[in-house]
Amino acid sequence: MSPVIALLRAVNVGGRTVKSAQLRQVAESLGHTQVTTYVNSGNIVLVPSGAACAVGPGLTEALVAELGFDVPVITRSLAQWDAIVKRLPFPDEASSDPSHLVLYCWDGAPGSTDFDPTPFGRESVAFAGHETYAYFPDGIGRSKITLPVLEKATGRSGTARNWNTVLALQRLARERA
């Protein structure tokens, strides 16, 4: 069975706390194996007990039961994650400034990909499949391009990870392949 990368949306902010140990325990209770988390911000890599497409909905349901609040989970298989890394439209920025490069993973194909970042500043945005890549040369925290702005533009719900995290999750998934 191929590893799956699961990304929890909007955890460990605004009182919606999910500890890594708790997340691992919930995943293992569903029968998933080789479960590991990466930093305490809702990243999990596992080998699924069944169909990869069932991991996200299963984790969401189990986390709601455990925590009492909705925890959307977006998943990608290792093959999908490898493709995401391979099609990176900003390779120079990934090499020189990976902490200012962000991957947004959506819960489906964006309804629109004609978002123009130029009114916001020097940011660059590129759409590919169910993902969006963004480079924030002046820092992510200062940008007016936020997750809600991109969610509104795409008509999708999603979550974001910086490029260092993307590569770390890829390494963890490959270790389980």
Side-chain angles (χ1 to χ4, degrees):
M1 195 65 71
S2 182
V4 169
I5 296 165
L7 309 171
L8 280 64
R9 183 181 187 280
V11 296
N12 300 334
V13 294
R16 297 167 44 97
T17 303
V18 181
K19 301 286 185 197
S20 290
Q22 190 176 28
L23 180 54
R24 284 190 302 274
Q25 180 183 19
V26 167
E28 289 169 350
S29 76
L30 295 172
H32 304 307
T33 61
Q34 298 187 54
V35 177
T36 191
T37 55
Y38 179 75
V39 300
N40 197 31
S41 61
N43 303 297
I44 188 165
V45 178
L46 53 81
V47 175
S49 61
C53 63
V55 172
L59 279 173
T60 294
E61 185 179 324
L63 288 166
V64 166
E66 172 81 15
L67 304 168
F69 56 84
D70 189 33
V71 183
V73 179
I74 295 174
T75 60
R76 300 292 187 267
S77 68
L78 175 56
Q80 290 171 318
W81 204 257
D82 283 342
I84 288 166
V85 172
K86 185 176 181 179
R87 72 175 173 243
L88 172 68
F90 305 117
D92 294 339
E93 293 82 349
S95 294
S96 65
D97 193 15
S99 65
H100 289 147
L101 181 59
V102 175
L103 172 71
Y104 295 86
C105 293
W106 306 115
D107 61 357
S112 173
T113 58
D114 61 359
F115 177 78
D116 179 11
T118 53
F120 294 91
R122 299 186 324 130
E123 293 86 344
S124 300
V125 176
F127 293 87
H130 292 187
E131 290 77 37
T132 301
Y133 304 83
Y135 177 61
F136 299 90
D138 300 319
I140 299 161
R142 294 185 176 129
S143 179
K144 302 256 190 273
I145 300 178
T146 61
L147 180 59
V149 167
L150 287 173
E151 285 179 326
K152 184 176 179 183
T154 61
R156 303 306 313 189
S157 180
T159 189
R161 300 298 185 272
N162 77 37
W163 200 248
N164 291 323
T165 297
V166 168
L167 296 179
L169 293 171
Q170 183 184 43
R171 280 190 301 275
L172 289 169
R174 284 184 173 172
E175 289 170 3
R176 284 152 181 75

